[in-house]
Amino acid sequence: NAGVTQTPKFQVLKTGQSMTLQCAQDMNHNSMYWYRQDPGMGLRLIYYSASEGTTDKGEVPNGYNVSRLNKREFSLRLESAAPSQTSVYFCASSDNRHNQPQHFGDGTRLSIL
Amino acid sequence: GIQVEQSPPDLILQEGANSTLRCNFSDSVNNLQWFHQNPWGQLINLFYIPSGTKQNGRLSATTVATERYSLLYISSSQTTDSGVYFCAGDPYNTDKLIFGTGTRLQVFP
């Protein structure tokens, strides 16, 4: 049981390049999330998807787009990467039978030069 | 917006010691959870604890929702407990968590 799988684990981009971060979960969860974690800080929610076909903005959505491809997969896209988007990105999922714990992937460390 | 304050920000312990970590919320939250981020960056969900007390081995957590705080107790600490502990809550009952800035714990042998 892999849980939440993120790819890639590491990526270096140049300013202006585009990139899609992939996330898949095998726990049959309805809800999926994308967070970013900056040095010395907690996680901040970028986007959220309560079910296939639905997405909603979190605290810091600017500069990002998301796609809930199916129940298993939720991707995060940077259309034109900026140095301020250098961060560690985490995907999470939960069973949205209201009030369930979130389970996290191992993260993608993204550097933008 | 809601503020999530964790204390202490840093904690250094010798193996075998006990500790209490605190999380205060500026407003009511739902879905309160505690996470451990290990030195390799992995985030593990420790407790889902909107109210009351739960225990899991050497760890236990208590949330007093009416007073907007939660406590995480670590007993007989081990070096593998090192890392950063985060609390998070959902102020709008929408499954969108707001995280605190964490308590960094270092346990030395």
Side-chain angles (χ1 to χ4, degrees):
Chain A
N1 189 349
V4 180
T5 302
Q6 292 184 233
T7 56
K9 294 191 185 308
F10 304 94
Q11 185 70 46
V12 179
L13 295 178
K14 294 181 179 178
T15 297
Q17 286 186 314
S18 61
M19 168 83 190
T20 299
L21 308 186
Q22 306 287 353
C23 175
Q25 53 89 12
D26 62 3
M27 295 174 282
N28 202 36
H29 287 165
N30 287 317
S31 296
M32 297 185 74
Y33 314 81
W34 276 105
Y35 294 89
R36 61 177 288 175
Q37 184 179 28
D38 298 311
M41 296 181 66
L43 280 71
R44 292 182 292 169
L45 183 66
I46 304 171
Y47 268 96
Y48 157 66
S49 171
S51 63
E52 183 179 348
T54 67
T55 61
D56 194 10
K57 294 179 180 179
E59 293 178 79
V60 288
N62 292 342
Y64 305 95
N65 288 304
V66 290
S67 295
R68 184 72 183 270
L69 304 169
N70 48 54
K71 191 172 186 178
R72 290 187 64 248
E73 298 172 287
F74 188 38
S75 63
L76 178 73
R77 183 160 178 85
L78 288 69
E79 289 290 352
S80 180
S84 60
Q85 294 178 303
T86 293
S87 191
V88 181
Y89 290 85
F90 287 95
C91 178
S93 70
S94 69
D95 182 339
N96 68 351
R97 285 176 297 153
H98 214 47
N99 303 340
Q100 296 293 317
Q102 292 188 16
H103 300 273
F104 282 78
D106 288 346
T108 295
R109 189 173 295 274
L110 183 62
S111 295
I112 299 159
L113 307 177
Chain B
I2 191 169
Q3 303 299 314
V4 183
E5 189 178 301
Q6 290 190 241
S7 60
D10 294 281
L11 189 56
I12 300 174
L13 299 175
Q14 194 154 26
E15 225 171 8
N18 302 326
S19 62
T20 300
L21 282 59
R22 187 177 178 105
C23 177
N24 289 330
F25 290 86
S26 60
D27 205 344
S28 299
V29 295
N30 305 286
N31 302 341
L32 199 150
Q33 303 180 37
W34 281 95
F35 297 87
H36 175 222
Q37 187 168 37
N38 66 25
W40 296 270
Q42 296 171 318
L43 276 159
I44 306 299
N45 193 301
L46 297 176
F47 293 103
Y48 173 80
I49 185 161
S51 63
T53 297
K54 288 186 178 179
Q55 180 153 8
N56 184 1
R58 296 181 296 104
L59 302 181
S60 64
T62 295
T63 296
V64 183
T66 54
E67 297 189 20
R68 304 194 301 269
Y69 74 87
S70 184
L71 303 173
L72 179 69
Y73 306 96
I74 304 174
S75 64
S76 303
S77 57
Q78 300 177 358
T79 56
T80 52
D81 295 331
S82 296
V84 184
Y85 290 81
F86 292 102
C87 64
D90 170 10
Y92 310 114
N93 208 22
T94 56
D95 290 323
K96 296 179 185 179
L97 293 179
I98 304 296
F99 279 74
T101 53
T103 291
R104 182 174 299 277
L105 173 65
Q106 297 179 74
V107 181
F108 290 95

